[in-house]
Amino acid sequence: MTASSIPADDPNTGAPMTHTSTPAVFAEPTRRVPGRWIAAFAVAWLGVWMAQLAPIQKLLPDQVQAQLHTSYWVDNVVAFGIISGISGVCAIVAYPLTGALSDRTTSRFGRRRPWIAGGAALFAVSLVLLGLQTTMVGIGVFWSLALTGFCVLTAALTATISDQVPVDQRGYVSGWISAPQAIGIILGVSLVTYVFVGALVGYTAMAVLLVLLVLPFLFLPDAVLPPHLRERMTFRGIVEGLWISPREHPDFGWTLLSRVLVNFGNAFGTSLLLYFLEFGLHDKHADDDLLVLILIYMVFVIIASLALGRLSDRLGRRKAFVFVSSALQGVAALLLAFVPELSVAMIAAGLLGLGYGCFLSVDQALATQVLPDPENRGKDLGIMNIATAVPQAMAPLFGAAIVAALGGFVGLFVLSAVFAFAGALAVARVKAVR
């Protein structure tokens, strides 16, 4: 079925059904998504981020420490880093594979919705079972399964942006990925610290909230792929599809490289902040002050992601925003490295939130504009998502090794700045998007 055989507008995506050779399901959307769509999208991401970040920030480290029976922070971080690293390998597989499968899904419920539902179910069940584990192996296995569910769910969710959101609205809509992240981290950690206390209760609460908050998005329309348009899928084809030649698609390559560098820089700068306060600044109130830093970071992430994402849409520019936001994160890291004081850390938290909030929303919009093939948006965005998930998973382990090797946090924050500045330079090489 081609666009010439279908009426004027696709009710699912808003894509024009013009007389072109591009099937409507693959066409660029032109109809702006309404407020109810954005609200359901944002609420789904809030559930996703609480379910991922509350375990990473609180539940999982406490669970690991309880099994190791040691208070030496490097041992705890290394063990946590190993578990995160293993789960990061799962992300490398799950993201592009889910994207490729959802690209070819011909369900009457749409291409993305079955994977959103399945990913949420796997994520939620794995979290509950994770709360029951009393061995390091069990913790590693079920956290890896939980992160796999997270990847399946988020790969399909992010693909709906390129499927349904027009280019001039993508910066603002992408901001509703990052704003809920900032809210989710503080809300999730607060809930498992003060309300749902204990591993099993905490994990179960996050699982239930995940399902409840993702559910409304499943009732929104999703374009159906006619079976005769489904591209044949082979194992060899999947493996070959994971390689997108930077020579043939340089803008995709530079955007991917920029995302890897900036996310490593951000993760180096944030993943060990509690230990920096405790052992770098010798802060007697490290837990309370970390909460203050998170709140400052959260406020600036929300402001930047929504306001600057929308401004990027209005100006029709992406690169300048991504460049400046990456550089801001580099400046924040240098402040932490060379002026190790709590008041300066608060300023750095604001700059980091401003930079990363802008980066998350505008870079996501930029990524959707450099995809090589409209028929494989899910798979290509899955590859882009690897560049976000893997640095976050690997950074605690690498960061602990750097701090242990150099005997302090200065080297870690300098490296964070170097990665952020390098990411800014990489995105400057993109040519097809302003």
Side-chain angles (χ1 to χ4, degrees), residues 8-17 24 27-32 163-164 223:
D9 283 320
D10 183 338
N12 294 322
T13 66
M17 303 292 193
E28 281 289 334
T30 58
R31 179 182 296 168
R32 295 172 71 83
D163 289 345
Q164 302 190 41

Side-chain angles (χ1 to χ4, degrees), residues 221-302:
D222 185 17
V224 174
L225 177 67
H228 68 274
L229 290 180
R230 177 181 179 179
E231 182 181 345
R232 185 170 175 269
M233 191 171 183
T234 63
F235 179 77
R236 180 178 178 180
I238 293 173
V239 173
E240 291 178 348
L242 296 179
W243 171 250
I244 297 176
S245 171
R247 288 182 177 273
E248 295 179 14
H249 306 285
D251 287 343
F252 183 90
W254 286 118
T255 303
L256 181 65
L257 177 61
S258 173
R259 183 173 284 201
V260 170
L261 292 170
V262 172
N263 276 289
F264 260 117
N266 181 269
F268 284 143
T270 59
S271 60
L272 300 182
L273 268 181
L274 177 60
Y275 300 110
F276 169 66
L277 293 174
E278 288 180 340
F279 303 102
L281 300 184
H282 305 289
D283 186 352
K284 296 180 180 179
H285 307 286
D287 288 334
D288 294 334
D289 289 335
L290 178 64
L291 187 60
V292 172
L293 293 180
I294 291 174
L295 284 170
I296 295 171
Y297 176 81
M298 178 190 75
V299 169
F300 280 93
V301 165
I302 294 171

Side-chain angles (χ1 to χ4, degrees), residues 78-324:
V78 168
F80 175 69
I82 291 171
I83 291 174
S84 295
I86 294 171
S87 65
V89 174
C90 296
I92 292 174
V93 177
Y95 264 132
L97 181 60
T98 297
L101 290 170
S102 69
D103 285 334
R104 294 162 176 79
T105 296
T106 57
S107 164
R108 65 188 180 91
F109 298 106
R111 291 195 295 169
R112 313 301 181 190
R113 277 193 295 185
W115 296 95
I116 293 172
L122 176 60
F123 193 4
V125 170
S126 299
L127 285 176
V128 174
L129 295 176
L130 178 59
L132 297 170
Q133 301 310 303
T134 57
T135 66
M136 291 298 292
V137 173
I139 293 170
V141 168
F142 284 98
W143 177 244
S144 296
L145 285 174
L147 194 73
T148 300
F150 165 83
C151 293
V152 172
L153 167 56
T154 56
L157 263 180
T158 51
T160 62
I161 297 177
S162 54
D163 289 345
Q164 302 190 41
V165 182
V167 169
D168 65 357
Q169 200 182 12
R170 287 180 187 172
Y172 178 65
V173 170
S174 296
W176 287 107
I177 296 177
S178 47
Q181 182 181 26
I183 298 170
I185 185 172
I186 191 70
L187 182 58
V189 171
S190 297
L191 286 174
V192 299
T193 301
Y194 302 112
V195 181
F196 303 109
V197 181
L200 179 58
V201 175
Y203 282 123
T204 302
M206 293 302 101
V208 171
L209 287 171
L210 168 69
V211 173
L212 291 177
L213 294 176
V214 169
L215 194 60
F217 194 79
L218 295 176
F219 289 94
L220 297 176
D222 185 17
V224 174
L225 177 67
H228 68 274
L229 290 180
R230 177 181 179 179
E231 182 181 345
R232 185 170 175 269
M233 191 171 183
T234 63
F235 179 77
R236 180 178 178 180
I238 293 173
V239 173
E240 291 178 348
L242 296 179
W243 171 250
I244 297 176
S245 171
R247 288 182 177 273
E248 295 179 14
H249 306 285
D251 287 343
F252 183 90
W254 286 118
T255 303
L256 181 65
L257 177 61
S258 173
R259 183 173 284 201
V260 170
L261 292 170
V262 172
N263 276 289
F264 260 117
N266 181 269
F268 284 143
T270 59
S271 60
L272 300 182
L273 268 181
L274 177 60
Y275 300 110
F276 169 66
L277 293 174
E278 288 180 340
F279 303 102
L281 300 184
H282 305 289
D283 186 352
K284 296 180 180 179
H285 307 286
D287 288 334
D288 294 334
D289 289 335
L290 178 64
L291 187 60
V292 172
L293 293 180
I294 291 174
L295 284 170
I296 295 171
Y297 176 81
M298 178 190 75
V299 169
F300 280 93
V301 165
I302 294 171
I303 293 171
S305 59
L306 298 180
L308 298 180
R310 173 166 279 180
L311 182 60
S312 171
D313 288 336
R314 290 180 177 175
L315 297 178
R317 290 184 173 273
R318 308 294 188 201
K319 282 200 307 182
F321 285 86
V322 176
F323 182 91
V324 172

